[in-house]
Amino acid sequence: MLTTIGAFSSFSVDDLDEALRFYRDRLGLAIVATSMGLELTLPGGGSVFIYDKGEQHAAAGFTVLNLVVVDMDAAVAELSAAGVELLRYPDFPGQGEDGVARSDSPEDGPTIAWIADPAGNIVGIIEERE
């Protein structure tokens, strides 16, 4: 059995400065630059390490990070004001004109939307009402 003292997730980008500005200035998340990359502190605890792969970077074909909000409409307005557009998936069931896939029942999945960071990594925005 592996004995661990902690854990964190990580993903790559092609430009650390752009990633820092996006996650800090547009999304308002706590992030600091280190000599190795960026340390993103997640709301509620935990962290993500973001590292530079330069021209070798390939955006993940899946969601690398999910951010939980209590009001999707307010979150969409905040993102829009920050110049962040929602991704649209034409074949995703239930995704409306506004880019949000809304759900009235937990059995049908969450109300969710997606954005992309400057490196093309996908970030989910999930509504969880208090």
Side-chain angles (χ1 to χ4, degrees), residues 63-130:
T63 304
V64 299
L65 179 66
N66 287 293
L67 302 173
V68 180
V69 300
V70 296
D71 184 334
M72 182 62 76
D73 292 329
V76 169
E78 291 168 359
L79 290 168
S80 179
V84 179
E85 295 182 18
L86 299 184
L87 297 175
R88 302 225 171 17
Y89 297 106
D91 296 331
F92 192 87
Q95 190 176 29
E97 287 286 318
D98 61 356
V100 177
R102 298 185 184 275
S103 174
D104 294 325
S105 170
E107 292 83 34
D108 296 332
T111 292
I112 187 168
W114 299 270
I115 60 175
D117 74 6
N121 294 311
I122 301 167
V123 177
I125 309 298
I126 297 175
E127 182 179 77
E128 186 176 292
R129 295 190 177 258
E130 296 180 308

Side-chain angles (χ1 to χ4, degrees), residues 13-32:
V13 296
D14 56 1
D15 186 319
L16 285 176
D17 291 333
E18 275 190 36
L20 176 66
R21 286 189 298 273
F22 178 78
Y23 287 99
R24 181 192 62 203
D25 301 340
R26 289 188 164 188
L27 300 186
L29 298 174
I31 188 169
V32 294

